[in-house]
Amino acid sequence: MASPPHDRRQGRPNSPRPPSDRRALRTPKAQVGEVAYLEVVTVNETGAFLDWGHARDVLLPFGEQRFRPTPGKRVLVRLYEDQQGRPVASQKLDRFVQDEATGLAPGDEVELVIADATDLGYKAVVNHCFWGLLYRDDVTRPLRRGQRVKGYVKRVRDDGRLDLSLLPPGAARLDVVGEQVLKALRESGGYLPLSDSSEASAIKVRLGVSKNAFKQAIGRLYKQRLIVIEAHGIRLVPGVTSDPA
């Protein structure tokens, strides 16, 4: 099989788009060693070329593709250096992302790249190195493929796999939920028709949190005298402007 053409000055495959001063000044969208969701610029006999925010597009060789990319679409890839030290991309994430995590513990803050939706929630890449699962009950806002978000290690299973959450553990988790409740109260004129007796689905749709987290958070807000709990809803105490401490 013939080798792809190379730019001898740069020591890398030719990109269909020549570098320019304007492109060289752009903020990079990803770096070698990272997982990223990148736009396909063009496809030719060499492979696909992706816009990663650098002066030259990065090559996604045919051998590293899971399907034939379409220009204008985005693909989730892992960036790495080939044997010649050239940056290239691969859609075969399992070659680089491990199932068994090391060096992480429950409560650790991590960077997530959303990969795929599953029946349980979302499969995500943790710190560009490990696979983890983000359960739907711990999803507090809409997520999309390739999105980078801050998350937390909820649990390290016996087999080393990671369960994840978008909310921090312990009291910090309730503070975040409490802030969401106060924000929703202000946006709705000071009253929300949600209470301990509300359906979990209604709480999830309105606030993006589980019923248990909601109940604990409003309990804290009540003790802080920030809200009044009524029979069928919660009401903001008049004059309250501060977030929960």
Side-chain angles (χ1 to χ4, degrees), residues 136-214:
R136 291 195 183 278
D137 283 348
D138 292 303
V139 176
T140 57
R141 58 186 184 275
L143 297 173
R144 64 183 184 279
R145 181 177 173 85
Q147 184 176 356
R148 290 191 184 192
V149 295
K150 179 173 70 175
Y152 300 87
V153 176
K154 184 176 183 179
R155 181 166 69 103
V156 181
R157 302 185 212 170
D158 292 339
D159 59 4
R161 294 171 183 260
L162 298 174
D163 290 341
L164 308 168
S165 175
L166 293 183
L167 295 174
R173 177 188 184 95
L174 298 182
D175 287 341
V176 172
V177 177
E179 290 170 3
Q180 292 176 231
V181 171
L182 289 179
K183 180 181 178 183
L185 279 166
R186 296 189 186 100
E187 291 175 346
S188 62
Y191 179 79
L192 281 177
L194 297 174
S195 67
D196 288 358
S197 60
S198 297
E199 294 291 334
S201 58
I203 295 171
K204 182 73 172 181
V205 169
R206 184 64 181 84
L207 298 173
V209 300
S210 68
K211 183 172 181 176
N212 184 55
F214 170 75

Side-chain angles (χ1 to χ4, degrees), residues 29-242:
K29 300 176 181 178
Q31 302 288 351
V32 169
E34 296 183 349
V35 173
Y37 198 44
L38 303 178
E39 182 180 353
V40 179
V41 176
T42 190
V43 178
N44 61 20
E45 69 280 357
T46 306
F49 287 87
L50 315 178
D51 179 5
W52 65 321
H54 293 256
R56 288 179 176 272
D57 300 322
V58 66
L59 173 66
L60 172 60
F62 285 119
E64 296 295 338
Q65 297 174 11
R66 294 179 57 212
F67 55 84
R68 290 296 179 258
T70 303
K73 301 293 186 179
R74 291 179 179 269
V75 290
L76 191 66
V77 296
R78 205 300 192 143
L79 298 164
Y80 70 101
E81 289 187 347
D82 66 9
Q83 294 180 345
Q84 287 72 45
R86 301 170 302 196
V88 288
S90 175
Q91 286 183 282
K92 300 178 179 180
L93 301 188
D94 286 331
R95 287 180 48 205
F96 307 93
V97 183
Q98 304 174 37
D99 287 324
E100 183 177 352
T102 57
L104 291 173
D108 285 353
E109 182 178 315
V110 291
E111 181 182 358
L112 307 179
V113 179
I114 305 303
D116 295 297
T118 72
D119 292 339
L120 296 176
Y122 293 89
K123 188 176 182 181
V125 181
V126 181
N127 291 345
H128 304 284
C129 297
F130 312 112
W131 287 115
L133 182 60
L134 183 62
Y135 289 93
R136 291 195 183 278
D137 283 348
D138 292 303
V139 176
T140 57
R141 58 186 184 275
L143 297 173
R144 64 183 184 279
R145 181 177 173 85
Q147 184 176 356
R148 290 191 184 192
V149 295
K150 179 173 70 175
Y152 300 87
V153 176
K154 184 176 183 179
R155 181 166 69 103
V156 181
R157 302 185 212 170
D158 292 339
D159 59 4
R161 294 171 183 260
L162 298 174
D163 290 341
L164 308 168
S165 175
L166 293 183
L167 295 174
R173 177 188 184 95
L174 298 182
D175 287 341
V176 172
V177 177
E179 290 170 3
Q180 292 176 231
V181 171
L182 289 179
K183 180 181 178 183
L185 279 166
R186 296 189 186 100
E187 291 175 346
S188 62
Y191 179 79
L192 281 177
L194 297 174
S195 67
D196 288 358
S197 60
S198 297
E199 294 291 334
S201 58
I203 295 171
K204 182 73 172 181
V205 169
R206 184 64 181 84
L207 298 173
V209 300
S210 68
K211 183 172 181 176
N212 184 55
F214 170 75
K215 290 171 64 176
Q216 293 182 60
I218 65 173
R220 284 172 59 104
L221 294 175
Y222 175 76
K223 290 178 180 178
Q224 295 168 340
R225 300 182 180 181
L226 298 176
I227 66 169
V228 176
I229 299 178
E230 301 179 354
H232 302 290
I234 56 176
R235 191 176 300 277
L236 191 66
V237 170
V240 169
T241 57
S242 62

Side-chain angles (χ1 to χ4, degrees), residues 19-30:
S20 67
D21 292 341
R22 179 176 298 178
R23 291 180 63 201
L25 295 174
R26 291 186 305 167
T27 301
K29 300 176 181 178

